[in-house]
Amino acid sequence: MRRRLLTGFFLFALALVVALEVPLGLSLARNDRATSMSEVQRDASSLAVLVAAGLSHSSQVNLQQVVSQFARADNAVVAVVSSGHTLAVAGSGASEELNDAHTKAIIGSAAAGHTSGEEGSNDPDDDLLYVAQPVAVTAGAGSGSTASSDVVLLVAESAAPFHSRVRNHWITLALFGLGVLAVATALGTVLARSLTRPLDGIEAAVAAVGAGQLSERAPVARGPSELKALGETVNEMADRLEELVHTQRAFLADASHQLRTPLTALRLRLENLEETLETHQRPDLTAALAEADRLSRIVDGLLSLARAEGGVRPPREAIDVGAALRDRAEAWTALAEERQVSLESPPAATSQIQPLTALACEGHLEQVLDNLLANALEATPAGGKVSMDAVRVGDRVEVHVVDTGPGMSPTDRTRAFDRFWRPEGATYGGTGLGLAIVAQLARMSGGTAWLDASSTGGVDAAVRLEAVD
């Protein structure tokens, strides 16, 4: 947002500077041109009077002196021409200038009337501002004298000073425009920071609350009134959220504490009854013990899920995925052998050739694997197989736990992550919380979890985490 505000402010200032300075620069250039041309015109008019006087007295020597003095004084090219015959000429490069076809055309058109302009050239030093006008020469004396207008006076002065002034105007305007843009950028930066700094504080507070730091609050001491109101609203929301979460945690902690004690006492009483019961009564006792164990697992699962959902999100670390798979396989091998299920994991040699490292919160990948392995071993019949593997897919690492159990329908695989959900007609125990815990732990580690059908007919439970090169 700060960048957009600054960019918009800069573009507005740039458009304003261009809209004001370009017309001003063009106007100054036109004024300089008009001033320069009027100076040349004034010089030409003054010289024309002297030329007419010199020609009237038929003094070619005086005419040449006047022309030469004027040319030296104004650093100009001066030529007096009569019917194609040069009467007087002076100035640097005057002779070559008279031989130019463009100059001849100017002199020819000047015989019919005054003409002026700029003689363009690719070389700025050769560019000239010229005035060509006829000179009225009086022949004879007294009342019988006559006027002749076939004499043309050409005065050309260098256009370099004119172009230098125009260039200086543009440079001055450009420097002024850059100064305005610099000031506008500085003011825009200050304004953008004053507007976005409170938003940064609010954003940081919201991110902290979202990460589980419920005591974090947005600053409301500075900034516009609208942003202060937004910060106060965010803080009110955080207060209510903190109160609700703390109430939920306290309730779960109290409920679990109050439930565990009677459950433990109930199990002990049931176990003590085992020796006093007759043989035909013992199956009912076994079923009661199983339900007590299931109830204990539900309480433990609820506590684990509450900690995963409401706790502060720990930082992620680089985890050796292959080592984690082998570690959990070793921990679950005894139970797998007891149930006559083959448990396979990637060999250490494969991990050394192509090590896989992923980002995950400390201990989360191990808990995920424990829940997935518990489900896979429950679903796999004796003689079946549970395999674990990890593969690199783009910038992600996928961990797969595949069983050879009866499998699940697409609908059941989608609903499996719902709390307390169990497939209809399931013959194995469970609380319906294991996969919900897996999904939450994967999200906290920046990953995802899902179920697919495996090629063996069972379920392929997968978790995707961000890879580390």
Side-chain angles (χ1 to χ4, degrees), residues 143-164:
S143 59
S145 61
T146 59
S148 174
S149 61
D150 61 346
V151 178
V152 174
L153 171 63
L154 173 66
V155 178
E157 298 182 4
S158 175
F162 156 66
H163 289 298
S164 178

PDB file of all heavy atoms in Angstrom, residues 143-164:
ATOM      1  N   SER A 143      13.616  68.313 -56.715  1.00  0.00           N
ATOM      2  CA  SER A 143      12.294  67.755 -56.991  1.00  0.00           C
ATOM      3  C   SER A 143      12.295  66.747 -58.108  1.00  0.00           C
ATOM      4  O   SER A 143      11.394  65.943 -58.242  1.00  0.00           O
ATOM      5  CB  SER A 143      11.301  68.906 -57.341  1.00  0.00           C
ATOM      6  OG  SER A 143      11.785  69.612 -58.477  1.00  0.00           O
ATOM      7  N   GLY A 144      13.341  66.674 -58.842  1.00  0.00           N
ATOM      8  CA  GLY A 144      13.370  65.719 -59.950  1.00  0.00           C
ATOM      9  C   GLY A 144      14.014  64.419 -59.609  1.00  0.00           C
ATOM     10  O   GLY A 144      14.256  63.578 -60.477  1.00  0.00           O
ATOM     11  N   SER A 145      14.306  64.192 -58.337  1.00  0.00           N
ATOM     12  CA  SER A 145      14.954  62.934 -57.932  1.00  0.00           C
ATOM     13  C   SER A 145      13.969  61.778 -57.966  1.00  0.00           C
ATOM     14  O   SER A 145      12.765  61.962 -57.804  1.00  0.00           O
ATOM     15  CB  SER A 145      15.520  63.090 -56.521  1.00  0.00           C
ATOM     16  OG  SER A 145      14.482  63.365 -55.605  1.00  0.00           O
ATOM     17  N   THR A 146      14.490  60.558 -58.151  1.00  0.00           N
ATOM     18  CA  THR A 146      13.656  59.337 -58.219  1.00  0.00           C
ATOM     19  C   THR A 146      14.162  58.323 -57.202  1.00  0.00           C
ATOM     20  O   THR A 146      15.326  58.347 -56.794  1.00  0.00           O
ATOM     21  CB  THR A 146      13.710  58.723 -59.629  1.00  0.00           C
ATOM     22  OG1 THR A 146      15.077  58.400 -59.929  1.00  0.00           O
ATOM     23  CG2 THR A 146      13.176  59.697 -60.676  1.00  0.00           C
ATOM     24  N   ALA A 147      13.250  57.384 -56.785  1.00  0.00           N
ATOM     25  CA  ALA A 147      13.601  56.339 -55.787  1.00  0.00           C
ATOM     26  C   ALA A 147      13.735  54.997 -56.461  1.00  0.00           C
ATOM     27  O   ALA A 147      12.915  54.648 -57.314  1.00  0.00           O
ATOM     28  CB  ALA A 147      12.544  56.282 -54.690  1.00  0.00           C
ATOM     29  N   SER A 148      14.731  54.224 -56.075  1.00  0.00           N
ATOM     30  CA  SER A 148      14.960  52.880 -56.616  1.00  0.00           C
ATOM     31  C   SER A 148      14.916  51.881 -55.475  1.00  0.00           C
ATOM     32  O   SER A 148      15.434  52.141 -54.388  1.00  0.00           O
ATOM     33  CB  SER A 148      16.315  52.807 -57.320  1.00  0.00           C
ATOM     34  OG  SER A 148      16.574  51.483 -57.717  1.00  0.00           O
ATOM     35  N   SER A 149      14.273  50.721 -55.710  1.00  0.00           N
ATOM     36  CA  SER A 149      14.153  49.694 -54.663  1.00  0.00           C
ATOM     37  C   SER A 149      14.725  48.375 -55.108  1.00  0.00           C
ATOM     38  O   SER A 149      14.311  47.333 -54.636  1.00  0.00           O
ATOM     39  CB  SER A 149      12.682  49.527 -54.260  1.00  0.00           C
ATOM     40  OG  SER A 149      11.932  49.104 -55.373  1.00  0.00           O
ATOM     41  N   ASP A 150      15.676  48.374 -56.068  1.00  0.00           N
ATOM     42  CA  ASP A 150      16.258  47.109 -56.498  1.00  0.00           C
ATOM     43  C   ASP A 150      17.475  46.723 -55.679  1.00  0.00           C
ATOM     44  O   ASP A 150      18.163  45.757 -55.992  1.00  0.00           O
ATOM     45  CB  ASP A 150      16.637  47.175 -57.976  1.00  0.00           C
ATOM     46  CG  ASP A 150      17.677  48.261 -58.249  1.00  0.00           C
ATOM     47  OD1 ASP A 150      17.878  49.100 -57.347  1.00  0.00           O
ATOM     48  OD2 ASP A 150      18.260  48.247 -59.345  1.00  0.00           O
ATOM     49  N   VAL A 151      17.787  47.470 -54.622  1.00  0.00           N
ATOM     50  CA  VAL A 151      18.901  47.158 -53.726  1.00  0.00           C
ATOM     51  C   VAL A 151      18.334  46.407 -52.505  1.00  0.00           C
ATOM     52  O   VAL A 151      17.360  46.851 -51.892  1.00  0.00           O
ATOM     53  CB  VAL A 151      19.633  48.423 -53.279  1.00  0.00           C
ATOM     54  CG1 VAL A 151      20.761  48.077 -52.304  1.00  0.00           C
ATOM     55  CG2 VAL A 151      20.188  49.165 -54.479  1.00  0.00           C
ATOM     56  N   VAL A 152      18.978  45.274 -52.188  1.00  0.00           N
ATOM     57  CA  VAL A 152      18.532  44.425 -51.074  1.00  0.00           C
ATOM     58  C   VAL A 152      19.626  44.373 -50.021  1.00  0.00           C
ATOM     59  O   VAL A 152      20.810  44.157 -50.348  1.00  0.00           O
ATOM     60  CB  VAL A 152      18.197  43.009 -51.553  1.00  0.00           C
ATOM     61  CG1 VAL A 152      17.875  42.099 -50.361  1.00  0.00           C
ATOM     62  CG2 VAL A 152      17.022  43.036 -52.519  1.00  0.00           C
ATOM     63  N   LEU A 153      19.235  44.573 -48.783  1.00  0.00           N
ATOM     64  CA  LEU A 153      20.151  44.478 -47.644  1.00  0.00           C
ATOM     65  C   LEU A 153      19.870  43.167 -46.894  1.00  0.00           C
ATOM     66  O   LEU A 153      18.733  42.909 -46.500  1.00  0.00           O
ATOM     67  CB  LEU A 153      19.971  45.658 -46.693  1.00  0.00           C
ATOM     68  CG  LEU A 153      20.722  45.576 -45.350  1.00  0.00           C
ATOM     69  CD1 LEU A 153      22.230  45.554 -45.563  1.00  0.00           C
ATOM     70  CD2 LEU A 153      20.315  46.724 -44.430  1.00  0.00           C
ATOM     71  N   LEU A 154      20.932  42.388 -46.729  1.00  0.00           N
ATOM     72  CA  LEU A 154      20.827  41.123 -45.984  1.00  0.00           C
ATOM     73  C   LEU A 154      21.669  41.219 -44.720  1.00  0.00           C
ATOM     74  O   LEU A 154      22.879  41.479 -44.794  1.00  0.00           O
ATOM     75  CB  LEU A 154      21.318  39.949 -46.832  1.00  0.00           C
ATOM     76  CG  LEU A 154      21.409  38.579 -46.104  1.00  0.00           C
ATOM     77  CD1 LEU A 154      20.027  38.081 -45.710  1.00  0.00           C
ATOM     78  CD2 LEU A 154      22.134  37.547 -46.975  1.00  0.00           C
ATOM     79  N   VAL A 155      21.020  41.028 -43.570  1.00  0.00           N
ATOM     80  CA  VAL A 155      21.712  40.994 -42.276  1.00  0.00           C
ATOM     81  C   VAL A 155      21.417  39.641 -41.628  1.00  0.00           C
ATOM     82  O   VAL A 155      20.251  39.278 -41.423  1.00  0.00           O
ATOM     83  CB  VAL A 155      21.250  42.138 -41.360  1.00  0.00           C
ATOM     84  CG1 VAL A 155      21.949  42.040 -40.004  1.00  0.00           C
ATOM     85  CG2 VAL A 155      21.541  43.478 -41.998  1.00  0.00           C
ATOM     86  N   ALA A 156      22.473  38.897 -41.309  1.00  0.00           N
ATOM     87  CA  ALA A 156      22.314  37.564 -40.700  1.00  0.00           C
ATOM     88  C   ALA A 156      23.225  37.473 -39.484  1.00  0.00           C
ATOM     89  O   ALA A 156      24.432  37.725 -39.593  1.00  0.00           O
ATOM     90  CB  ALA A 156      22.648  36.463 -41.705  1.00  0.00           C
ATOM     91  N   GLU A 157      22.655  37.154 -38.357  1.00  0.00           N
ATOM     92  CA  GLU A 157      23.415  36.982 -37.127  1.00  0.00           C
ATOM     93  C   GLU A 157      23.285  35.539 -36.633  1.00  0.00           C
ATOM     94  O   GLU A 157      22.278  34.867 -36.892  1.00  0.00           O
ATOM     95  CB  GLU A 157      22.915  37.953 -36.057  1.00  0.00           C
ATOM     96  CG  GLU A 157      23.096  39.413 -36.433  1.00  0.00           C
ATOM     97  CD  GLU A 157      22.627  40.355 -35.343  1.00  0.00           C
ATOM     98  OE1 GLU A 157      22.235  39.838 -34.262  1.00  0.00           O
ATOM     99  OE2 GLU A 157      22.633  41.586 -35.556  1.00  0.00           O
ATOM    100  N   SER A 158      24.289  35.101 -35.913  1.00  0.00           N
ATOM    101  CA  SER A 158      24.307  33.715 -35.435  1.00  0.00           C
ATOM    102  C   SER A 158      23.118  33.448 -34.507  1.00  0.00           C
ATOM    103  O   SER A 158      22.794  34.267 -33.635  1.00  0.00           O
ATOM    104  CB  SER A 158      25.617  33.424 -34.700  1.00  0.00           C
ATOM    105  OG  SER A 158      25.590  32.130 -34.134  1.00  0.00           O
ATOM    106  N   ALA A 159      22.490  32.277 -34.697  1.00  0.00           N
ATOM    107  CA  ALA A 159      21.372  31.864 -33.840  1.00  0.00           C
ATOM    108  C   ALA A 159      21.835  31.124 -32.590  1.00  0.00           C
ATOM    109  O   ALA A 159      21.014  30.716 -31.774  1.00  0.00           O
ATOM    110  CB  ALA A 159      20.396  30.981 -34.622  1.00  0.00           C
ATOM    111  N   ALA A 160      23.167  30.957 -32.440  1.00  0.00           N
ATOM    112  CA  ALA A 160      23.681  30.211 -31.279  1.00  0.00           C
ATOM    113  C   ALA A 160      23.289  30.853 -29.964  1.00  0.00           C
ATOM    114  O   ALA A 160      22.880  30.147 -29.026  1.00  0.00           O
ATOM    115  CB  ALA A 160      25.200  30.067 -31.393  1.00  0.00           C
ATOM    116  N   PRO A 161      23.389  32.182 -29.791  1.00  0.00           N
ATOM    117  CA  PRO A 161      22.940  32.756 -28.511  1.00  0.00           C
ATOM    118  C   PRO A 161      21.470  32.504 -28.218  1.00  0.00           C
ATOM    119  O   PRO A 161      21.092  32.241 -27.072  1.00  0.00           O
ATOM    120  CB  PRO A 161      23.228  34.257 -28.692  1.00  0.00           C
ATOM    121  CG  PRO A 161      24.304  34.320 -29.709  1.00  0.00           C
ATOM    122  CD  PRO A 161      24.027  33.199 -30.658  1.00  0.00           C
ATOM    123  N   PHE A 162      20.658  32.596 -29.284  1.00  0.00           N
ATOM    124  CA  PHE A 162      19.232  32.313 -29.104  1.00  0.00           C
ATOM    125  C   PHE A 162      19.013  30.873 -28.632  1.00  0.00           C
ATOM    126  O   PHE A 162      18.294  30.610 -27.666  1.00  0.00           O
ATOM    127  CB  PHE A 162      18.502  32.600 -30.416  1.00  0.00           C
ATOM    128  CG  PHE A 162      17.215  31.852 -30.580  1.00  0.00           C
ATOM    129  CD1 PHE A 162      16.139  32.093 -29.750  1.00  0.00           C
ATOM    130  CD2 PHE A 162      17.085  30.875 -31.568  1.00  0.00           C
ATOM    131  CE1 PHE A 162      14.954  31.400 -29.904  1.00  0.00           C
ATOM    132  CE2 PHE A 162      15.908  30.189 -31.719  1.00  0.00           C
ATOM    133  CZ  PHE A 162      14.837  30.444 -30.888  1.00  0.00           C
ATOM    134  N   HIS A 163      19.665  29.919 -29.319  1.00  0.00           N
ATOM    135  CA  HIS A 163      19.513  28.517 -28.929  1.00  0.00           C
ATOM    136  C   HIS A 163      20.108  28.264 -27.547  1.00  0.00           C
ATOM    137  O   HIS A 163      19.587  27.435 -26.789  1.00  0.00           O
ATOM    138  CB  HIS A 163      20.180  27.616 -29.971  1.00  0.00           C
ATOM    139  CG  HIS A 163      19.448  27.560 -31.272  1.00  0.00           C
ATOM    140  ND1 HIS A 163      18.163  27.084 -31.373  1.00  0.00           N
ATOM    141  CD2 HIS A 163      19.820  27.941 -32.524  1.00  0.00           C
ATOM    142  CE1 HIS A 163      17.759  27.150 -32.640  1.00  0.00           C
ATOM    143  NE2 HIS A 163      18.751  27.677 -33.361  1.00  0.00           N
ATOM    144  N   SER A 164      21.181  28.982 -27.205  1.00  0.00           N
ATOM    145  CA  SER A 164      21.770  28.811 -25.877  1.00  0.00           C
ATOM    146  C   SER A 164      20.802  29.276 -24.792  1.00  0.00           C
ATOM    147  O   SER A 164      20.649  28.616 -23.747  1.00  0.00           O
ATOM    148  CB  SER A 164      23.080  29.593 -25.794  1.00  0.00           C
ATOM    149  OG  SER A 164      23.640  29.487 -24.503  1.00  0.00           O
TER     150      SER A 164
END
